[in-house]
DNA sequence: AATAACATTGACAGCGGTTTCACCAATGGA
DNA sequence: TCCATTGGTGAAACCGCTGTCAATGTTATT
């Protein structure tokens, strides 16, 4: 295995000191005469020199590495990347980060174990965190003092920047959409309602819409378990077979909505003819689903991109501690497709 | 910002030398007496010491970092993570790698630019590469001399380990499935047929099946463009509206198949009543699609897991150069669902 | 011509670890 | 009692790079 060239080799080849090489490497060429600079660049090219980030990270205390955390399934430890909502976001985060010369360490976080290890071991320059975790998790993270942006979290701490949507409003919007079309027995199918999580807010919006329309909130109509197709499917079957009064379903994620629809069909009823369904997210599959899903749209790509930018903004400022944390909210809108049917006024 | 503890702090606290600390850190405790070891462990706990991987990487020349490369869209630079096929694989790779203490750097690779930079900058211990790239890309990669496993590639070089499926057979299987059910005008809808890529082989299998059944191969019946829902949709529309003779479609990826089906419906025809469709991959969505997709199944999770294991095997051997590169092939099978209809024998 | 001011450059001390190697008991055998 | 061993330990070199600072060479100023 032939050794890779180090900065010393370059220095020797160019007949200068390593410091000079370091200067041109770091764009401090004003400290070096133009022709030495050229000689050095020549040497770099010639020797095929590529600097070692570990060494650099060691002295600069900056790794150009960003941690990205995705929720993982509870049972196995797999990332919930199966939900296109996350993949789409990760993909956008990655491209934005790469553009600025950062690399991304993708990881789940083991229950119990903290993310602390990874972040300090690797000297992460920052982290983007999706999903919601135990409070202690955030506390630890804060101690590391690296810039962090939270996606879809309502953790209230000025240390964290956040990007998300107005989930309460989204839930409200979805439910109103249904109510306006004459539905009054509206089920909510959702992942677990956790404190400071998005579902909690959507749930709140759901209840507000109900209240404003003078509809009695029926706890039996909320089906809460997990954000998965599988659970949606179960809930859909139950609703279609055991709850003839329900005419519409608000699923708090498109993936869940797909399951619900399939479950309803399995039980021999039709969407939207018998039961209407509205989702949340507008992942790209929703457009192609049959029937195309009516849903609350958020710009997922933008969300990822903005999260990356927010983080970079803090990292690249001169005084990261001083930079104001921001909170950006991506707009929401209903996109009407074919899974919601207006109810005929009761005869 | 309070400074993190270094190995020196630990040494001082425990009243020993840094070497001793390093020993217990690296499990070489036989070089240290039991009670010094205990004292050291105590100090580590007390000071909340976490070793710095950059420093370690510098001297050990091993970073515990694995690069994972995913194809990206040609236009934008986003990762094709939108295809659940990739997300599912990445998710499994990540969990397997993390289990062994490695972290994963997820990245696309800019057209033209090489991956070389990243891999040597970061001192990657290995890389897993999905998809197919220009030949030069592999040549460069080889120079870096890090262990690499290729997923779904037919690059023929003993340096690379590979995991994949028998794509030719898969293509054959799918096409036979259609032929056996009476179809003779079978379209192929596929991403671009690139040398050493999986589609090329599936295409070959398709042709072989045709040949064996004495069906004339009609180039007009292959629709080649990109692995995307959007293209499938276009192709589906074209097939349904301009090719009344076609009764079945083999799409070389489930995502494409979804598009085809939707396109066919858009053109006012039905699947499988008018046209049958078979896919490839069996991503988890295929099960939930309406109608559930008949497809060639491969165990995607296993594929990811095996790739990770193959890589670890090489990395963790004492002489990585000596270890035999392996080629593992994941089995394939047809899973019959509801998008293929047997044709009545011609009257 | 002497001095001040500036532009270049290189030596060197870390950054936080690992590892070699020499050293110092303490033990056992002669 | 003396000399090899042996196990435990620490000093120091080093990994590749950056940044400080002093030393050099050049040019401008008086």
């Amino acid at each position: 295995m032939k050794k890779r060239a180090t900065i010393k080799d370059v220095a020797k080849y160019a007949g200068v000191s390593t410091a000079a090489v370091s200067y041109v490497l770091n764009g401090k060429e004003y400290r070096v005469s133009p022709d030495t600079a050229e000689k050095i660049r020549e040497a770099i090219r010639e020797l095929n020199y590529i600097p070692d980030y570990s060494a650099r990270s060691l002295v600069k205390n900056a790794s150009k590495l960003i941690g990205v955390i995705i929720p993982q399934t509870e049972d196995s430890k797999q990332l919930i990347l199966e939900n296109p909502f996350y993949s789409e976001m990760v993909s956008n985060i990655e491209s934005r980060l790469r553009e600025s010369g950062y690399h991304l360490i993708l990881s789940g976080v083991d229950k119990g174990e903290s993310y602390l290890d990874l972040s300090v071991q690797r000297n992460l320059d920052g982290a983007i965190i999706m999903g919601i975790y135990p409070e202690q998790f955030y506390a630890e993270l804060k101690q590391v003092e690296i810039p962090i942006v939270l996606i879809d979290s309502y953790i209230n701490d000025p240390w964290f920047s956040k990007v998300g949507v107005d989930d309460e409003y989204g839930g409200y919007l979805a439910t109103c959409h249904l109510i306006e079309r004459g539905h009054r027995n509206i089920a909510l199918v959702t992942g677990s309602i956790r404190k400071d999580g998005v579902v909690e807010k959507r749930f709140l919006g759901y209840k507000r819409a109900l209240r404003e329309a003078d509809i009695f909130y029926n706890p039996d109509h909320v089906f809460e378990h997990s954000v998965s197709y599988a659970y949606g499917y179960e809930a859909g079957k139950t609703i279609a077979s055991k709850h003839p009064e329900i005419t519409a379903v608000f699923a708090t994620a498109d993936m869940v909505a797909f399951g619900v629809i399939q479950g309803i069909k399995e039980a021999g009823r039709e969407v939207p003819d018998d039961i209407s369904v509205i989702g949340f997210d507008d992942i790209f599959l929703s457009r192609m689903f049959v029937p195309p899903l009516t849903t609350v749209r958020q710009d997922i790509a933008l969300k990822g991109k903005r999260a990356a930018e927010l983080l970079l903004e803090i990292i690249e400022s001169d005084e990261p501690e001083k930079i104001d944390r921001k909170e950006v909210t991506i707009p929401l809108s209903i996109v009407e497709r074919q899974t919601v049917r207006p109810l005929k006024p009761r005869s």
Side-chain angles (χ1 to χ4, degrees), chain A:
Chain A
M1 169 149 170
K2 72 171 169 304
K3 282 280 288 152
R4 58 185 276 193
T6 76
I7 200 171
K8 275 183 202 136
D9 302 326
V10 177
K12 195 179 300 170
Y13 188 97
V16 300
S17 79
T18 62
V21 180
S22 174
Y23 292 147
V24 348
L25 242 42
N26 293 283
K28 301 188 179 166
E29 305 207 3
Y30 55 88
R31 302 176 106 309
V32 153
S33 72
D35 35 328
T36 349
E38 188 42 53
K39 246 191 327 196
I40 292 173
R41 254 181 256 108
E42 167 70 18
I44 291 180
R45 227 172 298 125
E46 204 59 38
L47 267 46
N48 236 303
Y49 169 72
I50 300 173
D52 183 329
Y53 274 41
S54 303
R56 186 178 285 176
S57 156
L58 192 56
V59 25
K60 297 234 269 197
N61 213 23
S63 58
K64 289 275 176 182
L65 238 30
I66 306 290
V68 173
I69 307 184
I70 307 188
Q72 49 190 19
T73 51
E74 314 235 325
D75 45 330
S76 92
K77 310 207 159 160
Q78 256 154 261
L79 306 178
I80 313 207
L81 222 43
E82 81 160 23
N83 187 335
F85 175 73
Y86 290 105
S87 348
E88 204 173 331
M89 213 136 58
V90 169
S91 172
N92 281 86
I93 292 174
E94 197 274 342
S95 67
R96 183 63 189 79
L97 250 29
R98 181 147 43 98
E99 206 176 278
S100 293
Y102 289 80
H103 292 140
L104 166 168
I105 292 195
L106 186 68
S107 171
V109 33
D110 271 338
K111 213 172 2 207
E113 187 212 327
S114 78
Y115 190 63
L116 210 137
D117 283 16
L118 175 52
S119 51
V120 346
Q121 277 168 351
R122 297 297 188 185
N123 235 296
L124 297 186
D125 287 349
I128 295 179
I129 299 174
M130 318 190 203
I132 188 86
Y133 304 85
E135 255 182 70
Q136 189 218 349
F137 176 76
Y138 298 96
E140 287 184 343
L141 223 43
K142 241 182 97 169
Q143 284 176 27
V144 189
E145 298 191 29
I146 57 174
I148 288 183
V149 2
L150 267 25
I151 295 183
D152 287 335
S153 166
Y154 286 88
I155 296 293
N156 205 6
D157 187 311
W159 174 259
F160 303 116
S161 277
K162 288 183 281 195
V163 9
V165 300
D166 186 340
D167 292 284
E168 198 273 347
Y169 178 65
Y172 177 75
L173 224 51
T175 314
C176 284
H177 185 81
L178 263 13
I179 293 173
E180 282 162 12
R181 277 153 193 76
H183 296 278
R184 295 188 66 82
N185 285 293
I186 302 173
L188 178 73
V189 180
T190 180
S192 69
I193 300 176
R194 276 190 272 185
K195 187 165 171 314
D196 296 327
V198 294
V199 230
E200 185 192 27
K201 308 295 176 190
R202 294 178 193 171
F203 178 44
L204 255 31
Y206 163 80
K207 287 200 286 195
R208 176 159 68 96
L210 254 36
R211 199 181 329 117
E212 287 183 8
D214 290 321
I215 300 174
F216 177 67
Y217 161 62
N218 182 348
D220 289 349
H221 285 177
V222 354
F223 299 79
E224 174 196 356
H225 188 265
S226 64
V227 188
S228 67
Y229 175 82
Y231 175 62
Y233 180 79
E234 287 312 316
K237 274 209 296 202
T238 309
I239 289 169
S241 57
K242 305 220 166 69
H243 289 269
E245 76 282 10
I246 292 177
T247 62
V249 176
F250 167 31
T252 58
D254 285 355
M255 278 311 281
V256 176
F258 298 154
V260 168
I261 292 173
Q262 198 67 345
I264 290 173
K265 286 194 182 162
E266 190 63 28
R269 315 206 42 208
E270 286 303 322
V271 175
D273 299 336
D274 298 319
I275 303 179
S276 292
V277 176
I278 189 168
F280 204 113
D281 288 343
D282 195 28
I283 58 182
F284 78 103
L285 288 168
S286 305
R287 225 166 310 143
M288 52 186 268
F289 196 74
V290 187
L293 185 71
T294 294
T295 190
V296 178
R297 170 176 171 71
Q298 57 173 313
D299 190 333
I300 304 173
L302 180 64
K303 210 170 181 180
K305 203 146 273 184
R306 291 297 285 124
E309 280 163 1
L310 233 51
L311 191 63
L312 290 173
E313 196 180 304
I314 304 175
I315 293 177
E316 305 203 319
S317 89
D318 297 321
E319 298 181 291
E321 299 81 20
K322 297 275 164 53
I323 279 277
D324 275 345
R325 268 34 180 183
K326 286 194 193 140
E327 214 164 305
V328 352
T329 303
I330 306 291
L332 247 28
S333 62
I334 294 270
V335 13
E336 289 198 60
R337 286 198 274 248
Q338 304 169 24
T339 53
V340 173
R341 187 181 72 99
L343 229 49
K344 296 280 181 299
R346 298 189 172 209
S347 53

